[in-house]
Amino acid sequence: MPRWVMLYCQRWLEVPMVQSRAESSTEHRTVGTPQGGVISPLLANLFLHYAFDRWMARERPRTPFERYADDIVCHCVSMSEAVRLREDLEKRFAQTGLTLSAQKTAVVYIDTFERWNVRTGFTFLGYDFKVRTLRNFKGDVFRKCMPGASKKAMKTMVRTIRDWRLHRSEASIEELARRHNAVIRGWINYYGRFWYRNFSYRLYTALQSWLLKWAKNKYRIENRSAIRKLALIRAQHPRLFAHWYMLRASNA
């Protein structure tokens, strides 16, 4: 690591952290950076660039990998190579004062047929990567490793929608759209790129179910009348909610 980088890192690591602007209190640190600190991602990327990226380029030039902050995926051609790489990485990180997370670090086998007692999928940046059954334009079924919105991410989205408590809101439907459209649009733009059919169905169903409850409570009507009311509003304002026009019409 260049000396100027080491000096900047040392300065950033040692500078006291301000706890509160109102109280102007500071905390002197002896190790690490605060969780959620503005400088923490930059320091992590600088450190791992020299501790991991450069080391991989020097020691494992033929092993491709992706790294986003401290989330890393390495691709090996065999199980034995993956096991050796994990052992080498444990030694390398020990040299730099780091340790691999026992819960998050694993050797995963990805192939079109399943194997017993071996993990066959992994999660990276909110996507589950695993072998899925697909159908091509001719109708032929085949299996391929594909990403899709992870189970954890979908649970978080559904929980967030529930926490909006739409069924208890007295706001107009236009106000609800203004409040939540940015979040809905972000979900669709990020998670809607892969394994679209499953993601779009689950998100659309979750959103519509709570909008249906809102309509029933707002207008004091039964379920069928609420469905017709939402359909009428959508026909008059098809771009009111992001999922109405960004998700495919098959979910309508």
Side-chain angles (χ1 to χ4, degrees):
M1 182 182 297
R3 181 172 176 77
W4 66 270
V5 175
M6 294 179 62
L7 291 175
Y8 271 107
C9 289
Q10 182 179 358
R11 179 182 178 185
W12 286 328
L13 287 169
E14 292 179 351
V15 66
M17 179 181 67
V18 178
Q19 294 282 9
S20 171
R21 286 188 175 182
E23 301 176 0
S24 298
S25 59
T26 59
E27 177 186 350
H28 292 275
R29 302 194 311 277
T30 57
V31 62
T33 59
Q35 182 73 22
V38 177
I39 200 63
S40 299
L42 176 60
L43 287 175
N45 275 296
L46 275 173
F47 192 90
L48 286 173
H49 175 72
Y50 294 98
F52 177 78
D53 297 351
R54 290 286 188 88
W55 182 86
M56 286 290 291
R58 183 176 64 253
E59 301 293 334
R60 299 274 183 158
R62 296 185 179 182
T63 302
F65 68 90
E66 295 85 31
R67 182 177 70 81
Y68 184 85
D70 59 346
D71 291 330
I72 305 171
V73 175
C74 300
H75 304 273
C76 301
V77 298
S78 66
M79 181 69 72
S80 58
E81 180 186 351
V83 172
R84 288 196 303 270
L85 177 59
R86 176 173 179 171
E87 295 173 352
D88 293 342
L89 285 175
E90 289 178 347
K91 296 176 183 177
R92 171 57 180 171
F93 283 136
Q95 294 172 355
T96 59
L98 300 177
T99 56
L100 295 177
S101 172
Q103 292 76 23
K104 297 181 179 180
T105 305
V107 174
V108 179
Y109 182 85
I110 302 291
D111 204 343
T112 54
F113 62 92
E114 296 185 5
R115 291 195 174 190
W116 297 101
N117 301 323
V118 179
R119 285 185 57 176
T120 57
F122 64 94
T123 302
F124 184 62
L125 301 182
Y127 280 92
D128 281 342
F129 289 79
K130 61 182 180 180
V131 175
R132 305 176 189 271
T133 302
L134 307 174
R135 190 183 299 273
N136 61 19
F137 67 96
K138 294 182 179 180
D140 299 328
V141 176
F142 65 98
R143 291 174 63 79
K144 180 181 179 181
C145 181
M146 286 286 293
S150 67
K151 292 182 179 180
K152 182 179 179 180
M154 288 304 309
K155 287 181 180 179
T156 300
M157 283 182 262
V158 172
R159 190 182 304 114
T160 300
I161 296 170
R162 182 194 63 197
D163 292 343
W164 288 344
R165 299 181 65 80
L166 300 180
H167 63 300
R168 298 294 185 185
S169 176
E170 295 295 331
S172 65
I173 196 166
E174 292 81 8
E175 178 61 26
L176 293 179
R178 282 194 295 269
R179 290 179 187 175
H180 307 301
N181 259 347
V183 176
I184 299 171
R185 193 180 301 114
W187 287 339
I188 297 173
N189 285 332
Y190 185 76
Y191 291 106
R193 296 181 61 85
F194 305 100
W195 203 236
Y196 180 86
R197 182 179 299 178
N198 181 64
F199 163 77
S200 62
Y201 173 79
R202 295 176 66 185
L203 180 62
Y204 187 93
T205 302
L207 286 166
Q208 285 299 105
S209 64
W210 286 101
L211 284 177
L212 183 63
K213 293 178 181 179
W214 169 86
K216 290 169 63 177
N217 291 338
K218 178 75 172 179
Y219 300 104
R220 300 294 191 271
I221 54 179
E222 61 180 8
N223 193 68
R224 290 185 178 181
S225 299
I227 293 175
R228 290 194 293 268
K229 181 70 174 179
L230 284 179
L232 178 62
I233 294 174
R234 182 176 182 181
Q236 296 173 343
H237 307 283
R239 300 181 68 86
L240 183 60
F241 280 93
H243 69 287
W244 283 0
Y245 66 90
M246 294 183 72
L247 297 180
R248 291 174 185 167
S250 61
N251 293 313

